[in-house]
Amino acid sequence: MELTTVTEATRIILENSIDYGTEYVPFTDAHQRVLAEPLVADRDFPPFDRVTMDGIAIQWQSYANGQRTFLIESTQTAGETQHTLSDSNACIEVMTGAMLPINTDLVIRYEDFTIKDGIVHLNADVREGQNVHYQGEDRRAGTAIIQPHTLLGPPEIAIAASVGAVHVPVKKLPSVVIITSGDELVAVEQIPLPHQIRSSNVHCIATLLKDYRINVDFVHIPDDLSATQQAIQNALTQYDVLILCGGVSQGKKDFIPKALQTEGVEKYFHKLSQQPGKPFWFGRKNNNVVFALPGNPVSSFVCARRYFIPWLRKSLGIPAMDNIYAALSDDYVYNSPLTYFLQVQLFQEGATLMARPLTGHGSGDFANLIDNQGFLELPKEKNEFKKGEILPIWRYGY
Ligand SMILES: Nc1nc2c(c(=O)[nH]1)N[C@H]1C(S)=C(S)[C@@H](COP(=O)(O)OP(=O)(O)OC[C@H]3O[C@@H](n4cnc5c(N)ncnc54)[C@H](O)[C@@H]3O)O[C@H]1N2
Ligand code: MOO
Ligand SMILES: [Mg+2]
């Protein structure tokens, strides 16, 4: 059977991205959400001529005319209404964050003068307009400070707070269920019998999705065709996205492709020319998309990271692909006509991100992922990769 290529699978998956619309969330809960509409400045940034140093405010003209001593008229602190300098040869003490007083246009730091009997004596040179952060210098009221399709992080949350966006418009997230299958799997709390293992893959995938603020539900099904069909049928009515894990290969109890077919999910591809993750199945029924990932832990992780995350990013309106590259630290040979996701340790050599291969014991060896930070994508057209060759990298975390 002809295997679907990684390139073709990527195209199909991205073509099936879905826009879930917009919702409003409290700005304090908007971290890692995607902005749906521009966030507009309600005031200038900064909103007034802002003093940037503790000291005194004077008029440049008085200094230019030779004035070097200044009588202190008053003290303007942050949070006070604006003072006015009445004698243009005098000064007002000012604190960082205060409004620059009317009739003054520069600020001199305490370090640059002494005060004796209420009179300031300068001991440093002064520049026109120094130590003032001018109104509207950063951004003007009415302009979009943050554009739609921005992933909101700490600085963006500060902007939202500053413009009074108590609730921010963000892209809605799909509801996602992760369905595990396998009679060998037991819950994390249980002590497995000799022939059993704890279900772990799905927690890796669920954690990956948490980076995008998606909280998944979990469903477990036994290796039984009618139970599998029933679970898929229920999930299709309750969730936007189904991520299945396991049961997609050639085994006697690998019922997932059959059950998806009988429940009316159209198969877009099954089996890719890649390693690991070859038996990956992807399909759609109306607005439900279904990612049926191979059960081996490294395989399910590779597929979730390489295909589900780009699908999600495209659905949310942010760039789908990472487009990050690393250079191989050593020659590497992969003798198979498949795209290979090579586990690598990442390190920096000067300005270059380097990738050192550390393969482990195949796609069942998820402990090896602990020692690695990403998968290097080796295209299927080649078998020999030279030290220094630059290839796409899919990092696990940040
Ligand atoms: N004759 C063939 N056999 C296999 C092929 C093949 O092409 N021909 N492909 C192999 C590849 S590649 C993979 S990957 C696996 C995929 O298997 P399934 O998707 O059918 O997954 P299962 O059989 O259910 O499980 C495989 C493996 O993964 C473990 N697993 C499953 N779910 C979990 C979980 N939630 N947590 C932890 N571990 C899990 C499961 O116990 C098995 O060890 O098939 C190969 N076989
Ligand atoms: O590709 Mo399977 O995904 O090798 O273990
Ligand atoms: Mg199997």
Side-chain angles (χ1 to χ4, degrees):
M1 196 183 81
E2 188 77 9
L3 301 175
T4 305
T5 64
V6 166
T7 309
E8 183 65 358
T10 304
R11 187 188 62 75
I12 293 169
I13 284 178
L14 295 183
E15 266 177 19
N16 282 281
S17 64
I18 295 175
D19 185 341
Y20 293 97
T22 299
E23 66 180 347
Y24 279 79
V25 296
F27 80 99
T28 47
D29 196 32
H31 179 51
Q32 288 292 98
R33 299 292 302 267
V34 174
L35 191 66
E37 287 159 26
L39 220 53
V40 175
D42 63 335
R43 309 167 75 197
D44 286 337
F45 271 57
F48 49 81
D49 291 343
R50 187 182 72 93
V51 170
T52 67
M53 289 285 178
D54 304 317
I56 54 163
I58 64 160
Q59 254 186 41
W60 167 250
Q61 199 51 53
S62 67
Y63 180 83
N65 292 342
Q67 186 81 25
R68 294 294 181 271
T69 58
F70 301 86
L71 178 72
I72 298 171
E73 277 188 3
S74 67
T75 302
Q76 162 93 64
T77 59
E80 272 187 341
T81 51
Q82 193 175 25
H83 290 209
T84 302
L85 183 71
S86 40
D87 174 355
S88 58
N89 285 325
C91 72
I92 292 179
E93 276 191 87
V94 288
M95 304 303 135
T96 304
M99 293 182 91
L100 186 70
I102 296 167
N103 290 335
T104 69
D105 49 21
L106 67 88
V107 171
I108 307 167
R109 311 177 303 163
Y110 279 122
E111 293 88 327
D112 294 336
F113 58 83
T114 53
I115 305 177
K116 200 161 175 246
D117 302 328
I119 309 281
V120 166
H121 299 261
L122 293 193
N123 55 30
D125 289 340
V126 166
R127 280 175 299 102
E128 202 170 351
Q130 70 179 25
N131 299 327
V132 180
H133 188 189
Y134 289 101
Q135 176 171 352
E137 183 177 23
D138 304 343
R139 299 288 189 279
R140 281 286 176 201
T143 57
I145 303 202
I146 311 179
Q147 299 297 335
H149 312 298
T150 302
L151 200 57
L152 301 174
E156 288 82 11
I157 302 297
I159 295 290
S162 184
V163 303
V166 178
H167 292 91
V168 290
V170 293
K171 299 301 291 181
K172 260 193 197 158
L173 301 169
S175 58
V176 180
V177 62
I178 300 187
I179 303 175
T180 44
S181 64
D183 289 339
E184 75 281 22
L185 302 176
V186 298
V188 177
E189 306 72 42
Q190 280 178 253
I191 308 287
L193 295 170
H195 57 282
Q196 296 175 326
I197 58 163
R198 293 191 181 95
S199 177
S200 56
N201 294 357
V202 288
H203 298 290
C204 174
I205 295 163
T207 304
L208 199 61
L209 271 58
K210 279 205 173 128
D211 283 347
Y212 292 90
R213 304 295 309 274
I214 292 181
N215 291 314
V216 303
D217 283 345
F218 294 105
V219 169
H220 180 71
I221 45 176
D223 286 328
D224 171 83
L225 180 59
S226 70
T228 304
Q229 288 166 319
Q230 192 57 55
I232 289 172
Q233 197 183 96
N234 293 344
L236 287 169
T237 63
Q238 289 176 40
Y239 299 93
D240 298 315
V241 178
L242 277 58
I243 298 179
L244 295 106
C245 184
V248 293
S249 192
Q250 311 287 325
K252 286 247 162 72
K253 292 196 161 182
D254 289 340
F255 295 127
I256 301 294
K258 173 88 187 293
L260 287 167
Q261 186 210 328
T262 62
E263 294 314 313
V265 184
E266 190 186 341
K267 180 179 79 178
Y268 286 15
F269 60 73
H270 184 197
K271 299 191 176 137
L272 303 186
S273 54
Q274 66 176 22
Q275 166 68 30
K278 189 171 162 192
F280 177 28
W281 191 107
F282 175 78
R284 181 166 179 169
K285 182 180 183 183
N286 304 320
N287 277 336
N288 289 123
V289 285
V290 179
F291 295 78
L293 314 180
N296 270 331
V298 179
S299 316
S300 60
F301 184 36
V302 163
C303 292
R305 178 68 187 85
R306 174 64 179 78
Y307 300 102
F308 178 79
I309 295 296
W311 174 87
L312 177 65
R313 292 179 63 97
K314 175 98 189 293
S315 297
L316 297 175
I318 54 177
M321 306 298 273
D322 289 29
N323 289 323
I324 298 173
Y325 296 82
L328 260 177
S329 67
D330 302 277
D331 290 351
Y332 192 80
V333 176
Y334 178 66
N335 274 322
S336 176
L338 301 171
T339 298
Y340 186 48
F341 293 101
L342 171 66
Q343 293 173 53
V344 289
Q345 295 181 317
L346 292 173
F347 61 99
Q348 203 73 31
E349 209 171 78
T352 307
L353 184 62
M354 303 294 295
R356 181 186 297 117
L358 187 69
T359 49
H361 304 115
S363 49
D365 180 6
F366 61 104
N368 194 59
L369 296 173
I370 305 303
D371 296 327
N372 287 295
Q373 291 83 41
F375 308 109
L376 207 59
E377 185 169 329
L378 310 187
K380 72 183 184 60
E381 292 73 23
K382 279 175 68 173
N383 298 113
E384 287 182 24
F385 299 88
K386 293 281 170 227
K387 176 181 174 172
E389 198 159 338
I390 291 171
L391 295 155
I393 178 80
W394 299 87
R395 304 178 87 134
Y396 305 159
Y398 296 109

